[in-house]
Amino acid sequence: MDLAFDANLLPRILFTIVAAGIAIGPVFADFNATHATNPLWPPHARFHVVWQVLQQSSASLIALFLLWQSSAEYVLHLYVVAAILFTWVLTFFGTLSSMRIFAGALRDVNGIEPFRFPLGGGRVVEVDTNLFGASVFTVVLVIATLSIRSA
């Protein structure tokens, strides 16, 4: 397949950005004292966060392999990659919407600070980094999926 004439180069690049973000971002955000080595967290919670990050990174590596391998079925692979990556955002928003059931929270007291966006007039909107990232990834995934062209 010649990438110069690949009608699906845009979705491949967009999917790559999301897969790389899902694979790399949580390693830096979660393998530190705010999560995996947080002495305030129960050991079992630390186990689960490490497991989650390793699973996300592994799924992203599979997605990257499918995106860039030469195959007669590469358009089908793009839809498989979309499904793999949408699983990440759908489970994020599903967990977000059910936090009351298990007394969850988007961040810990010693976690990563939210993004602050000045609106003018001295007003500032704070947006959780997890929510911001998942929202951006969702938009990128929708654009990438809608950009897939048949071979």
Side-chain angles (χ1 to χ4, degrees):
M1 165 182 22
D2 183 3
L3 287 181
F5 299 105
D6 182 3
N8 286 307
L9 186 58
L10 175 63
R12 284 175 181 229
I13 290 169
L14 294 176
F15 285 139
T16 297
I17 291 167
V18 174
I22 291 171
I24 297 167
V27 170
F28 290 101
D30 297 341
F31 285 168
N32 57 51
T34 67
H35 287 69
T37 60
N38 187 337
L40 301 175
W41 279 29
H44 189 65
R46 293 192 303 257
F47 169 84
H48 275 284
V49 78
V50 172
W51 178 13
Q52 170 198 327
V53 170
L54 293 176
Q55 189 284 325
Q56 289 172 193
S57 296
S58 299
S60 292
L61 291 175
I62 292 167
L64 289 169
F65 171 78
L66 290 173
L67 278 173
W68 296 104
Q69 77 164 353
S70 183
S71 168
E73 300 294 325
Y74 86 98
V75 174
L76 174 63
H77 288 182
L78 294 177
Y79 286 109
V80 171
V81 166
I84 291 169
L85 298 178
F86 268 111
T87 299
W88 185 84
V89 296
L90 291 173
T91 56
F92 172 84
F93 287 110
T95 304
L96 178 68
S97 67
S98 63
M99 283 193 313
R100 284 189 218 151
I101 296 170
F102 56 90
L106 278 173
R107 67 180 286 274
D108 288 319
V109 293
N110 64 339
I112 297 171
E113 292 295 318
F115 291 120
R116 290 178 173 80
F117 297 100
L119 294 181
R123 295 184 334 200
V124 175
V125 172
E126 290 187 354
V127 179
D128 178 79
T129 55
N130 293 301
L131 180 58
F132 182 81
S135 298
V136 169
F137 282 169
T138 300
V139 170
V140 173
L141 286 173
V142 168
I143 293 168
T145 303
L146 293 176
S147 299
I148 297 172
R149 301 288 175 244
S150 298

